[in-house]
Amino acid sequence: RVAKHRHEGSQALTQNASSHSNHQTGKGSREMTRTNAMKIYAIAATLALAGYSANAVSASDSAAAAGPDSTKAVPAPSAIKAPEKKEVVVQGASPAPNIGYLPLYVGKKMGYFEEEGLNVTVNYSHGDSAPLQAINAGQAQIMSGTPEALIHGYQKGLRGVLFYQTYNKLIFSVAVPEGGKIKAPADLVGKTFGVSSIASTGVIIAKVLVAEAGGDAGNVKFLPVGTGQQALGALKSGQVDALVLWDAAYSQIEAGGGDLKLTHWQPKSLSNVGDGGYFTSWELIKTQPNTLAHFTRGMAKAMVAIHRDPKKALQIYWEVNPSAKPKGTDAEALQIGLRQLDIVGRSLDLSGVPKTIDEASLNAYVKTFVDQGLISKAMPVDQIVTNAFLPIATKAADEERKASARR
């Protein structure tokens, strides 16, 4: 939970945060239209995967051969050794810095990764498929993103495993004006939904919501309206009856202090879907378990720090991405920033307490893709998820809370 361009394939990966931020000035709040680029254009990702290279498939076969048994190499929280590799590359799934990577920025700035013996570099790219391919090609060890491209591409050889979850809820929701004519999901039958793109995962979410309400999911329409003020204008003018966006996109609409209030709905069957975090490969879990363990510890401590002092976390984020800072005085910017963070926190877990990845909910999400005809067969969820690093994260979070209490 990020503007969502799934323009994968052979596009070059963009550079790290420090180099990219120099090009962001003047873009203002448009940055958040990129925020959570973790989801959109999932169908486009599938098309891009048609050109997935034979070498990448070969690498994925190797990773698959390693499989869930690789977690036998994961150390106990008290038995972690020195990292196998100190240089760690995290490949983002969006083309620019955004608030979805806040734990990475906090972990770097506050020295948590350094404490763990790691030098973490954050790179960017378009969509989730390219970062997963980068892992298989040995260009990165970790991806920050969401599972849609992996769900789409699994049958084509794309491989990855979610080992640290930061989004414990679905980031997409359907929103209508509060107090308007649409009072319940059943009223959405025959209506027009505004989506950022026809390829957006929001199309799936809207159809499932209408079907759960007893309506005909085929009797709805979709209109691309982008995000931000463009999407808001389409809703206010009546071009669309509802929006289907993700939390970070809604934060731009709802945090600005306007008079429009929104009512949000999500499919009950998908409301607890853990919608993203940090992925690696089974092969790297097998060969670099201590590196991943130290990364997990750094992430867990960063999440505690965000929960403890969200104002400081926002300041760190604005240092990385100055154009994301809202206009106005520092006090006004902070007020809006905290509201944006609160909205993103509907799905991004800001509690500072590591959670188990809910495999049953993720399995329901995979089944939704089958039911919608987007994939022909569901993969075993235990092939794309592991909770093996949870005890490590829990111990590190506890240590950081205790250390903070002593400071």
Side-chain angles (χ1 to χ4, degrees):
R1 358 160 148 163
V2 175
K4 316 212 160 205
H5 290 293
R6 301 288 197 202
H7 210 357
E8 283 104 281
S10 61
Q11 282 196 325
L13 304 178
T14 51
Q15 297 302 311
N16 62 35
S18 60
S19 62
H20 187 94
S21 62
N22 293 331
H23 300 282
Q24 295 300 301
T25 303
K27 294 186 180 178
S29 63
R30 287 181 296 167
E31 175 277 336
M32 288 295 287
T33 67
R34 295 188 184 126
T35 306
N36 275 340
M38 301 173 185
K39 297 254 184 219
I40 269 199
Y41 299 119
I43 296 174
T46 306
L47 295 176
L49 285 169
Y52 197 48
S53 71
N55 288 338
V57 173
S58 177
S60 73
D61 290 342
S62 175
D69 283 348
S70 298
T71 57
K72 293 177 181 178
V74 178
S78 59
I80 302 173
K81 299 178 182 178
E84 291 83 7
K85 286 193 175 182
K86 295 183 178 181
E87 299 294 326
V88 173
V89 175
V90 179
Q91 193 71 49
S94 61
N98 63 70
I99 203 167
Y101 305 130
L102 185 60
L104 290 173
Y105 304 145
V106 171
K108 286 170 62 68
K109 181 69 175 181
M110 297 188 67
Y112 293 128
F113 292 129
E114 185 178 1
E115 289 175 2
E116 296 298 324
L118 302 178
N119 180 29
V120 174
T121 299
V122 184
N123 289 344
Y124 303 94
S125 55
H126 289 279
D128 288 336
S129 294
L132 288 170
Q133 292 177 35
I135 291 174
N136 286 330
Q139 298 169 347
Q141 293 105 311
I142 296 166
M143 179 196 86
S144 175
T146 56
E148 282 78 16
L150 182 57
I151 294 172
H152 275 282
Y154 189 86
Q155 289 176 278
K156 298 180 182 296
L158 190 64
R159 294 292 183 269
V161 52
L162 177 64
F163 73 100
Y164 194 107
Q165 180 173 276
T166 50
Y167 287 84
N168 64 343
K169 300 288 184 181
L170 189 69
I171 71 173
F172 275 95
S173 62
V174 173
V176 298
E178 187 177 285
K181 295 181 180 180
I182 299 175
K183 307 292 185 183
D187 298 332
L188 292 166
V189 177
K191 303 300 183 183
T192 300
F193 293 82
V195 292
S196 63
S197 161
I198 291 299
S200 168
T201 301
V203 171
I204 301 172
I205 301 305
K207 288 183 176 181
V208 174
L209 179 69
V210 170
E212 284 189 355
D216 179 5
N219 187 21
V220 294
K221 299 177 182 178
F222 297 94
L223 180 68
V225 296
T227 57
Q229 291 304 308
Q230 183 179 349
L232 178 59
L235 183 63
K236 284 186 171 182
S237 67
Q239 283 183 277
V240 297
D241 302 292
L243 296 175
V244 198
L245 300 173
W246 57 101
D247 288 333
Y250 282 126
S251 74
Q252 283 298 289
I253 294 173
E254 299 180 73
D259 56 356
L260 179 68
K261 296 186 181 300
L262 299 177
T263 296
H264 292 262
W265 295 306
Q266 291 179 320
K268 292 181 180 179
S269 62
L270 302 178
S271 59
N272 291 322
V273 171
D275 218 6
Y278 294 84
F279 295 74
T280 188
S281 69
W282 292 118
E283 185 66 24
L284 287 171
I285 290 176
K286 182 178 180 180
T287 59
Q288 297 184 34
N290 293 289
T291 295
L292 296 172
H294 284 288
F295 176 83
T296 295
R297 284 181 52 82
M299 283 292 301
K301 290 187 282 188
M303 295 300 290
V304 171
I306 295 170
H307 174 76
R308 180 177 65 238
D309 193 346
K311 294 180 181 179
K312 184 174 182 179
L314 279 173
Q315 295 292 348
I316 291 172
Y317 172 50
W318 292 336
E319 288 179 19
V320 174
N321 192 13
S323 67
K325 185 175 181 178
K327 296 180 179 179
T329 66
D330 286 347
E332 290 170 340
L334 190 58
Q335 183 180 15
I336 295 173
L338 289 172
R339 174 59 178 148
Q340 289 174 342
L341 191 58
D342 183 58
I343 293 171
V344 172
R346 294 169 183 166
S347 52
L348 179 63
D349 185 3
L350 299 174
S351 68
V353 179
K355 305 288 196 313
T356 300
I357 301 169
D358 187 341
E359 294 189 23
S361 293
L362 187 57
N363 192 56
Y365 197 31
V366 173
K367 185 177 182 298
T368 297
F369 281 72
V370 177
D371 294 342
Q372 293 294 321
L374 298 174
I375 58 175
S376 61
K377 181 180 179 182
M379 82 289 288
V381 171
D382 65 359
Q383 291 292 323
I384 61 171
V385 166
T386 180
N387 282 298
F389 290 86
L390 181 62
I392 295 171
T394 300
K395 186 174 187 294
D398 289 343
E399 290 173 359
E400 178 60 21
R401 278 188 290 271
K402 291 176 182 177
S404 176
R406 292 193 296 267
R407 287 197 286 264

